[in-house]
Amino acid sequence: MMTQTPSHIADFKRAYETAGPAFPGGKQLGGMRDQAMERFLSLGLPVRKAENWRYFDLTPLRDQAYSPALTLPTATLAMIDEAAVPGLEAPRLVFVNGRFSRTLSDMDRLPDTITCESLHQRLLDGDDTINRLGLDLADGDAFDQLNTAMLAEGLVIDVPDGVKVDQPLELVYLTSKADGLASHLRLVIRMGKGAELRLAETIIGDDSRAFTNLITQITLADDARLICTRRQLEGSQTVHVSRNHVTLGDALYELAQISTGGKSARHELLATFTSEGGHVEYKNVQLAGEGQIHDTLTLFDHAVPQCTSMQTYRGVLDKGSKASFQGKVLVRQDAQKTDARQKADSLILDRSAEANAKPELEIYADDVQCAHGATVGELSQDQLFYLNSRGLSPREAKAVLVEAFIAELCESVEPEPVRNAFLADARTWLDRHPVKAAEEVR
Amino acid sequence: MTQMLDIKNLHVAIEDGTILKGLDLKIKPGEVHAIMGPNGSGKSTLAATLAGNPAYEVTKGKVTYLGEDLLALEPHERAAKGVFLGFQYPVEIPGVSNLNFLRTTLNAQRRLRGEEPLDGATFMKLAREKAEKLGVSMDMMKRSVNVGFSGGEKKRNEMVQMAVIDPKLAILDETDSGLDIDALKVVSDGINALRGADRAILLITHYQRLLDYVKPDHVHVLDDGRITRSGGPELARELEEKGYQAVA
Ligand SMILES: Nc1ncnc2c1ncn2[C@@H]1O[C@H](COP(=O)(O)OP(=O)(O)O)[C@@H](O)[C@H]1O
Ligand SMILES: [Mg+2]
């Protein structure tokens, strides 16, 4: 029987063939790309029936072709300044429309104790260490394969043993005037023994119908600390899929995230503990407006004893939006004394919103502490009236209560400029939400 | 003299039925009125209706406040025009500090009235002064609104809000219940401080006790959704002695 390749798959193939000659790297890399593309073609995009994808919507990826930018896009420093975290004293690394921009980045301000180079440059240089970075995600799904096939842009950051970097690094990804653009980005971050680093990411864009496919591979040796913050503020027509693969020893990995952007936006955090004493802390605030679908998926593999993990999710859903939290904790047989906690709370501002929470504990060890809780609630009429009776309009009252719902998470974010940016991002969202009810429009 | 509040033939219904059944009440500026009545007689319903709680539907009647149709205004507009409701059961709002709540609400009212918002320093000075008078510590002012407060603390907190907001018409729904005698004095002082020629206070209470400290000009008995008797302060004492049944 002949099966016809769906047109969107053919589109990705065409994009690959067109961009191919421009991709950096030698023959060996070319072989890896081709294989990844083959795997992508046979896997196809995930379908709704797949358990992990049941709440998501990939229709925008099927409806239109997306291809990488072949020329270096331009953006002004003013655009980056506007996107970046106000008041954060940090060297910036900047991507515009999926391409690393050396001119907009502060390469000469990077701390000289670390190595940080654009992946593109490393591939161009024919760097023979590149094979050891584990770029080939042979077991991965369609997004991993696409990302590998189109591998061209990203960063490789190495923080050597014992190096503690005080100053954060700021990563800004800007998408602008980019209908049909695909940004397949790959970050590789390797933290040596006792190394410390802070990263502040801002992913931002206009209303382009674009596709961001961001994969971050992180390894932490014992006693390392990596503290990350991420603002995902892309436009309401963009498809966003980001996936963090984290492997850690007796180390600390933290990610605090706020997400308001994307038509379909999905965040995955996949963490594997490889030696005793590891801790992962994940905080995620999601604000979804009309027509948006937000997914958060985590998989924490407690493969060894005495590791701890903490996940806190707060979702706010306005009229006609959908958001889900799927959090799986796997505690393997040897992983005694695991302490894994998960809390997912959603607030729906309108009955037409759909909040899904699917905590999943799979536990094979007997001496562990695992807890999860999930709630979905609405704003309290009593609280709203109390605020109204004190002089706040219905909109203002809602904004106060939504802010209260997410305040605790936002306020725990460090450093201060990023915390303020999170709060400001939430307020920007609240200026536009909840969408006005008809009687309020007058 | 013109009325501050003029309630005519007010009927109010909730889902389960009609609670206020033809209530009339006139309050002039400068006056303090007390409404007393047995549990379930509709006192809180009257208070909630005047503040504009959407759960209470006015099915008949008219309420004029400072010459304006009060019922046509949204709750927040009523607040900005000087109507304040002290809740019988103040609401807890986790995640919003008392100070932030007060400043946000006060400035929202000022904005609606076309006034400049108070700057941080001026506001803090005001809040500190009022809180101190009512025995509410700055530590409590920094905590989430009413969260973990005792019944008495919640009532004092209502009075701090009232003092800062400085309303024209204060409707105080059982502000005295749950207070010990010392707290009652403090709260009474707070209420008395609000008395003035261009203001009015409507005290809703169950007990005569509060009226020893805040002397009302008029006392009304509310029974089954109507005012069945009105009189001077002596009526409160009579109620206390003989009970609602005999008096009403
Ligand atoms: N929101 C409400 N929902 C249902 N019943 C109510 C509500 N508010 C008041 N009632 C009922 O209406 C009647 C009057 O209540 P209320 O005004 O609270 O009386 P009071 O304050 O005088 O004790 C009572 O029978 C009470 O149970
Ligand atoms: Mg009552």
Side-chain angles (χ1 to χ4, degrees):
Chain A
M1 196 180 74
M2 288 271 291
T3 50
Q4 215 191 331
T5 312
S7 66
H8 66 277
I9 297 292
D11 287 339
F12 278 115
K13 187 162 185 263
R14 200 167 313 118
Y16 176 65
E17 283 159 357
T18 309
F23 285 144
K27 218 168 160 189
Q28 199 178 6
L29 212 59
M32 183 176 91
R33 288 182 206 287
D34 286 344
Q35 279 177 7
M37 199 61 208
E38 283 303 316
R39 285 194 291 262
F40 170 75
L41 294 176
S42 66
L43 284 166
L45 289 176
V47 291
R48 269 287 168 87
K49 270 181 272 175
E51 184 61 22
N52 279 347
W53 293 88
R54 59 194 279 200
Y55 304 117
F56 206 58
D57 184 14
L58 290 168
T59 313
L61 288 189
R62 296 192 170 93
D63 284 353
Q64 179 191 331
Y66 298 86
S67 43
L70 293 179
T71 54
L72 274 183
T74 51
T76 61
L77 187 58
M79 289 162 85
I80 305 303
D81 281 340
E82 203 184 323
V85 174
L88 186 71
E89 287 296 318
R92 278 184 204 151
L93 298 154
V94 177
F95 293 87
V96 178
N97 289 354
R99 302 291 305 263
F100 182 70
S101 169
R102 195 164 290 275
T103 47
L104 292 168
S105 300
D106 301 317
M107 299 309 281
D108 49 357
R109 282 181 57 209
L110 291 171
D112 51 15
T113 47
I114 68 171
T115 55
C116 172
E117 186 48 89
S118 109
L119 178 68
H120 193 92
Q121 193 59 47
R122 297 275 295 254
L123 296 175
L124 276 184
D125 291 347
D127 186 341
D128 56 8
T129 61
I130 215 83
N131 283 326
R132 284 187 256 126
L133 293 178
L135 296 169
D136 192 10
L137 302 167
D139 299 329
D141 73 352
F143 292 95
D144 285 341
Q145 303 313 328
L146 262 185
N147 193 285
T148 304
M150 313 275 193
L151 200 70
E153 293 287 356
L155 288 171
V156 182
I157 301 175
D158 279 291
V159 184
D161 291 353
V163 170
K164 297 180 181 4
V165 186
D166 302 329
Q167 204 179 28
L169 294 187
E170 179 164 29
L171 275 55
V172 178
Y173 313 75
L174 173 71
T175 300
S176 167
K177 298 197 186 79
D179 277 335
L181 172 88
S183 300
H184 301 281
L185 295 161
R186 182 76 65 99
L187 264 54
V188 179
I189 302 169
R190 294 181 299 181
M191 304 288 296
K193 258 177 173 302
E196 283 187 26
L197 183 68
R198 285 179 179 276
L199 286 185
E201 291 180 291
T202 297
I203 308 168
I204 197 164
D206 62 11
D207 273 341
S208 300
R209 288 190 303 277
F211 168 36
T212 300
N213 178 16
L214 170 61
I215 293 181
T216 306
Q217 293 169 275
I218 296 168
T219 50
L220 294 106
D222 289 348
D223 300 319
R225 293 161 64 90
L226 180 64
I227 316 274
C228 304
T229 60
R230 177 178 278 178
R231 303 158 66 214
Q232 195 275 116
L233 313 170
E234 286 172 306
S236 61
Q237 299 305 314
T238 294
V239 178
H240 175 98
V241 178
S242 64
R243 180 173 289 163
N244 287 19
H245 295 271
V246 180
T247 305
L248 74 162
D250 176 7
L252 170 73
Y253 173 70
E254 265 186 44
L255 174 60
Q257 180 170 332
I258 187 166
S259 168
T260 66
K263 182 168 182 60
S264 293
R266 176 167 170 113
H267 311 285
E268 295 186 12
L269 174 55
L270 316 170
T272 305
F273 295 89
T274 59
S275 70
E276 295 181 11
H279 180 68
V280 173
E281 183 100 22
Y282 183 45
K283 296 170 188 164
N284 189 5
V285 174
Q286 283 202 333
L287 305 163
E290 190 155 23
Q292 289 182 301
I293 296 182
H294 282 181
D295 257 19
T296 296
L297 179 131
T298 62
L299 169 57
F300 288 9
D301 185 350
H302 283 264
V304 293
Q306 313 246 16
C307 292
T308 54
S309 61
M310 179 77 157
Q311 309 181 50
T312 322
Y313 166 90
R314 291 267 159 131
V316 179
L317 291 80
D318 197 10
K319 190 175 134 203
S321 69
K322 243 175 98 172
S324 79
F325 173 83
Q326 300 181 80
K328 180 167 174 178
V329 172
L330 170 61
V331 182
R332 293 186 195 261
Q333 203 167 359
D334 288 340
Q336 302 296 357
K337 308 277 185 208
T338 291
D339 187 341
R341 287 163 204 266
Q342 215 179 65
K343 186 94 176 73
D345 299 305
S346 302
L347 181 62
I348 59 171
L349 304 184
D350 187 279
R351 294 273 168 92
S352 64
E354 184 187 323
N356 294 293
K358 207 180 73 157
E360 200 182 335
L361 298 176
E362 203 176 313
I363 304 175
Y364 298 100
D366 46 26
D367 183 15
V368 300
Q369 289 205 47
C370 291
H372 66 74
T375 64
V376 179
E378 291 180 87
L379 292 175
S380 141
Q381 293 302 320
D382 286 344
Q383 291 177 345
L384 286 171
F385 177 63
Y386 194 55
L387 290 163
N388 292 155
S389 80
R390 294 291 181 261
L392 296 192
S393 71
R395 272 180 76 75
E396 291 167 330
K398 283 178 188 170
V400 164
L401 294 179
V402 171
E403 216 176 300
F405 179 72
I406 58 173
E408 196 188 333
L409 260 196
C410 291
E411 272 155 19
S412 67
V413 171
E414 299 272 3
E416 195 182 341
V418 180
R419 180 188 325 143
N420 292 337
F422 271 48
L423 289 165
D425 294 338
R427 283 193 196 117
T428 303
W429 189 84
L430 281 167
D431 285 342
R432 291 178 283 123
H433 301 273
V435 285
K436 285 192 173 76
E439 72 269 18
E440 285 177 69
V441 176
R442 326 189 261 202
Chain B
M1 202 201 281
T2 59
Q3 305 293 339
M4 172 166 262
L5 187 72
D6 189 354
I7 305 175
K8 284 203 177 94
N9 193 28
L10 185 65
H11 288 66
V12 173
I14 54 165
E15 258 175 37
D16 305 348
T18 301
I19 301 171
L20 297 184
K21 304 163 182 170
L23 185 143
D24 294 284
L25 181 67
K26 290 186 200 310
I27 300 178
K28 289 193 172 66
E31 292 181 342
V32 175
H33 287 238
I35 289 191
M36 305 183 74
N39 265 333
S41 58
K43 301 185 298 294
S44 292
T45 300
L46 173 63
T49 305
L50 294 176
N53 188 327
Y56 297 83
E57 191 198 347
V58 176
T59 52
K60 217 193 225 175
K62 210 171 164 321
V63 180
T64 312
Y65 168 72
L66 293 173
E68 208 175 343
D69 178 4
L70 183 71
L71 302 177
L73 300 174
E74 298 274 329
H76 65 287
E77 295 165 340
R78 299 181 194 193
K81 287 181 188 286
V83 177
F84 178 89
L85 169 61
F87 282 62
Q88 182 177 359
Y89 303 108
V91 178
E92 300 183 3
I93 310 186
V96 179
S97 80
N98 257 321
L99 280 171
N100 195 12
F101 171 85
L102 253 185
R103 186 167 176 204
T104 309
T105 53
L106 179 65
N107 282 338
Q109 292 197 17
R110 294 178 67 97
R111 203 172 334 108
L112 276 174
R113 291 194 291 261
E115 300 165 9
E116 285 292 307
L118 280 195
D119 65 80
T122 313
F123 167 77
M124 280 306 289
K125 194 163 163 273
L126 180 67
R128 188 172 310 222
E129 180 201 316
K130 302 298 185 188
E132 201 167 301
K133 279 215 176 95
L134 285 150
V136 173
S137 68
M138 279 320 268
D139 192 48
M140 269 175 78
M141 293 303 290
K142 285 177 193 150
R143 276 161 54 191
S144 287
V145 178
N146 294 323
V147 176
F149 289 20
S150 71
E153 286 171 336
K154 285 181 183 172
K155 296 301 176 63
R156 284 189 208 213
N157 200 27
E158 292 289 285
M159 292 302 96
V160 174
Q161 292 176 23
M162 180 176 79
V164 169
I165 288 171
D166 195 21
K168 288 201 175 79
L169 172 65
I171 303 158
L172 306 180
D173 191 0
E174 296 207 24
T175 298
D176 53 336
S177 59
L179 296 181
D180 60 31
I181 193 74
D182 293 336
L184 185 66
K185 279 182 191 155
V186 171
V187 164
S188 300
D189 288 346
I191 299 172
N192 285 324
L194 194 77
R195 293 179 86 145
D198 55 349
R199 292 164 213 275
I201 298 169
L202 178 58
L203 295 172
I204 291 173
T205 182
H206 208 62
Y207 308 104
Q208 131 88 24
R209 211 171 57 143
L210 173 68
L211 307 182
D212 290 339
Y213 297 97
V214 185
K215 283 270 172 287
D217 301 301
H218 301 275
V219 175
H220 312 274
V221 179
L222 180 63
D223 194 16
D224 194 24
R226 261 188 227 104
I227 287 183
T228 52
R229 265 191 77 177
S230 295
E234 74 288 346
L235 180 57
R237 221 151 296 132
E238 192 186 334
L239 281 170
E240 185 87 348
E241 281 159 24
K242 302 188 188 158
Y244 291 113
Q245 217 66 22
V247 175

